[in-house]
């Protein structure tokens, strides 16, 4: 079974040369640390920066240079700052190639729920609804089951949706899955995890064709 | 040159009354109009409807207005990080309308640019689109979202001049430019009000025509919400 | 009867302190020369400049600094350059206070025609349709009659329209008129021009109430 | 940094074929992509649909393509100053669609920003709105105008870097920024390609994400259409 870093490492392999990538808060943020350094990738943050670099050295933090998680960051050569309208032009206009974000639930038709639990405090969707409604290529990074052990890969989402029919791929602590017309297609197993265990943990339709290889999380 | 300079925040906020709708720039605590918010607190303005991406933290940003129960309604995309906000929302004291961040930006920009409404894919099929008109273009579904109508826009820039021209810094730019000219009166506060002719006309982020009043702010705290650093090797 | 400079001088008096003004090609361009210099006014040109100054001195022309008439210009302190979308945000968003433009015909309901004569070469509307559809305050500068001596102030425009119900005021070589619900209200006569002569030259409904004063074209 | 730099105009225009739709930046002759136009002439590309505010003059700008009958259709707001254009239009060789200048800008921006269509008041009640959907918002009438769909956008900037970041100069900016990212492939030519890291991230007009190819152009003539000067006293 993968930990969060393992999930991030596996997703990092989906990041291709020349991609502009938007990373959500949580596991997705970790992905930046594991992208191969022999490819060219630029990270966009929807608060208005393209070409994000690592966190600043202590003492070099700038309150005017943060990411969407409100963390202090740095920029790399070739970076740019822009306003919120232009930022979402990049997103809505499909100029961002890959969006990686967390989820509470994903349905076998590609629906995603990740912003609201009725009865609990709602913090808001931030840029997630714009991202999922626009991106051609959305990868969800999440645990396969919730804290109660219930599957997060469902026939239909039970929580209020963030977007409809938009998720293309899911990487969990147990598996890599593709969203197809017929359901979740199992692509890879996490090291040491059996197909049976994945079946067990998946409420939605699971498509298993042939031998399912084990993931390689190393670049 | 049409002079937009006012002497101070008192003059800049003249005409602000209870129950107005105002846009407030900033993302998190970055690029927020600290002086205008402090003055709204000082004036004790009540019943505010605030259009702002976030709602500050308990003791800073719009949180200062929430503490004093001066905000009636928030229109935002993300309102975490604020206990008092949570309390008021759950108790029903505070009305909260959550909308997608890109929609928030573009409803401001629509007001600035004279568009009545826009079609955005964001929120289609979700509760955000409930009761709203939807429409298909080229096989994709969009939601009709209307331009905001606001009385005041409070924005914060890095540098500005008496003509109202503004330059922002880094990610403190965020929603500030799209709110300029999106309300009846745009009040810009700047860290540095520079002499006319100092700013390169080619490098102005917001031309002065979108700004009605400008003043140099004081004592910017520029608080950092999440201080993240890396170790030196 | 006024000449073009006289019309420009009279219109210049309509330009108030604090106005952002867009000037069309022809007579409107001349207006800039006669605005009182004790008031603050900024001229916007829809190709992307605010704060236009006079023409450059010979040898100081810059191909990258022109107005909408493609003339080389200069800028004044406080000027700014911007793209075409922002330029029309200023216009459509009603940030420009006053638009002055020429016309082939104006109708008593405020319709204006100034871009196309069927059967003749059409050059295009440029920014005129955006300007007239958006501006709160539109003044037309034109001759009262065309070269054939026919009135250009009509009951209904005969030429293809540029905009509907948008003109507020007209300054011609003969008169200053306001567009009202009931028709063209005569406000002022050009020096030496009789009310009769204006009646004669106006096809649309002309409203004459009380004594009509003679224009003062001096600031 | 994602490298957008190509060696020359030949490489920049790879994939351009007959009958494509292209956006071409510039206002009058100011800010036009001189190198890309010259290459289109050289390649003898035919059947072009050009979205461009103007159509050049007889012997410069898009006029060079008109001379060789390479343009099938022009979508512009103003096409005066060009005898050959006039001749081809009157003879029916050239299809011309005239649209308001602000509508032209915003249909580009809609394509750039992922909006399917916009509502603009421009042209309502005129022949420009004929056959188009109209709609009332708050008592005012608007025309629905669709985002452009283009294969290539040819733009010209003052400075740029290998990441595709662009800075424009003066009024040569005009339509260039709104066309970036509004076509499948945006080709930017610059007067000066500066080393990466030279441009201030805060002062970039168009982030490189909107540009697919960038190259340094040669021999900019930058012809002045109306040379107007005043006398020294």
């Amino acid at each position: 079974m993968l930990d969060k870093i393992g999930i991030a490492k596996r997703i990092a392999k989906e990041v291709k040369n020349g991609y502009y990538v938007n990373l959500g808060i949580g596991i997705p943020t970790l992905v930046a640390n594991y992208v191969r350094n022999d490819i060219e990738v630029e990270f966009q943050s929807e608060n208005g920066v393209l070409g994000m670099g690592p966190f600043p050295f202590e003492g070099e933090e700038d309150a005017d240079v943060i990411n969407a998680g409100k963390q202090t960051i740095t920029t790399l050569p070739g970076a740019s700052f822009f306003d919120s309208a232009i930022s979402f032009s990049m997103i809505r206009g499909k100029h961002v190639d890959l969006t990686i974000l967390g989820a509470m639930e994903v349905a076998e038709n590609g629906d995603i729920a990740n912003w609201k639990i009725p009865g609990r405090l709602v913090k808001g969707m931030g840029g997630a609804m714009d991202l999922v409604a626009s991106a051609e290529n959305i990868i969800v990074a999440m645990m396969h089951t919730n804290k109660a052990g219930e599957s997060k890969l469902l026939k239909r989402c039970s929580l209020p949706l963030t977007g409809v029919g938009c998720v293309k791929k899911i990487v969990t602590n147990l598996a890599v899955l593709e969203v197809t017309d017929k359901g979740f297609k199992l692509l890879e197993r996490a090291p040491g995890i059996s197909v049976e265990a994945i079946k067990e943990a998946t409420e939605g339709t699971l498509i298993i064709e042939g031998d399912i290889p084990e993931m390689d999380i190393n670049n | 040159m049409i002079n937009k300079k006012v002497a101070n925040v008192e003059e800049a906020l003249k005409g602000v009354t209870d129950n107005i709708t105002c846009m407030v720039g900033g993302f998190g605590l970055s690029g927020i109009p600290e002086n205008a918010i402090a003055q709204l607190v000082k004036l004790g303005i009540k019943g505010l409807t605030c259009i702002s991406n976030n709602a500050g933290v308990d003791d800073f940003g719009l949180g200062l207005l929430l503490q004093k129960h001066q905000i009636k309604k928030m229109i935002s995309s993300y309102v975490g990080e604020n206990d008092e906000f949570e309390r008021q929302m759950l108790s029903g004291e505070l009305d909260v309308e959550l909308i997608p961040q890109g929609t928030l930006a573009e409803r401001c920009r629509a007001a600035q640019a004279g568009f009545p409404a826009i079609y955005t894919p964001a929120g289609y099929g979700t509760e955000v689109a409930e009761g709203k008109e939807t429409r298909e273009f080229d096989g994709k579904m969009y939601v009709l979202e209307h331009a905001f109508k606001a009385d005041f826009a409070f924005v914060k820039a890095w540098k500005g001049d008496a003509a109202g021209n503004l330059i922002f810094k880094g990610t403190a730019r965020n929603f500030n430019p799209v709110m300029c000219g999106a309300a009846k009166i745009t009040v810009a506060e700047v860290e540095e009000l520079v002499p006319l002719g100092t700013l390169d006309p080619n490098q102005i982020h917001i031309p002065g025509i979108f700004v009605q009043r400008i003043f140099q702010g004081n004592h910017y705290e520029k608080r950092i919400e999440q201080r993240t650093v890396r170790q030196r090797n």
Side-chain angles (χ1 to χ4, degrees), chain B residues 185-210:
Chain B
I185 296 175
T186 297
V187 176
E189 57 184 84
V190 294
E191 288 182 53
E192 195 188 347
L193 196 61
V194 302
L196 194 73
T198 310
L199 301 176
D200 179 352
N202 212 39
Q203 294 293 15
I204 284 164
H205 293 140
I206 280 291
I209 193 172
F210 294 114

Side-chain angles (χ1 to χ4, degrees), chain A residues 55-56 58 61-64 66 70-72 81 83-84 88 116 121 123-127 130 133 161-162, chain B residues 30 77-79 86 89 99-102 121-122 127 140 169 171 173-175 222 226-230 232:
Chain A
F55 294 144
E58 190 152 2
E61 313 92 285
D62 183 345
D64 293 330
I66 63 171
K70 284 98 174 180
Q71 297 171 311
T72 44
F81 296 112
D83 68 43
S84 300
F88 283 90
K116 184 174 183 177
L121 178 69
K123 294 194 172 189
M125 67 292 283
D130 305 274
L161 296 182
T162 308
Chain B
S30 186
S77 88
Y78 193 82
V79 293
E86 183 174 346
M89 185 167 70
I99 62 174
Q101 194 175 140
E127 64 180 51
K140 190 175 167 89
K169 178 166 165 273
T171 55
R173 193 183 315 187
N174 56 66
F175 285 85
K222 301 220 270 184
Q226 303 285 343
R227 188 177 303 270
T228 45
V229 296
R230 72 187 138 134
R232 287 173 202 275

Side-chain angles (χ1 to χ4, degrees), chain A residues 24-136:
Chain A
I25 295 169
I27 302 174
T29 302
L30 300 174
V31 172
N33 301 331
Y34 304 104
V35 173
R36 281 166 53 182
N37 54 22
D38 61 340
I39 62 172
E40 294 176 340
V41 172
E42 287 186 38
F43 293 101
Q44 194 252 20
S45 192
E46 65 267 26
N47 61 313
V49 55
L50 186 68
M52 274 190 291
F55 294 144
F57 290 120
E58 190 152 2
E60 293 181 1
E61 313 92 285
D62 183 345
D64 293 330
V65 182
I66 63 171
N67 65 16
K70 284 98 174 180
Q71 297 171 311
T72 44
I73 56 157
T74 59
T75 57
L76 299 173
S80 54
F81 296 112
F82 37 84
D83 68 43
S84 300
I86 293 174
S87 183
F88 283 90
S89 291
M90 293 178 186
I91 291 166
R92 201 185 307 101
K94 302 185 192 301
H95 306 288
V96 172
D97 300 290
L98 175 62
T99 291
I100 303 169
L101 76 177
M104 299 165 179
E105 296 178 348
V106 176
E108 62 186 58
N109 64 355
D111 289 358
I112 178 173
N114 75 349
W115 77 285
K116 184 174 183 177
I117 301 177
R120 285 224 231 141
L121 178 69
V122 182
K123 294 194 172 189
M125 67 292 283
M129 284 195 181
D130 305 274
L131 282 158
V132 301
S134 305
E136 298 280 0

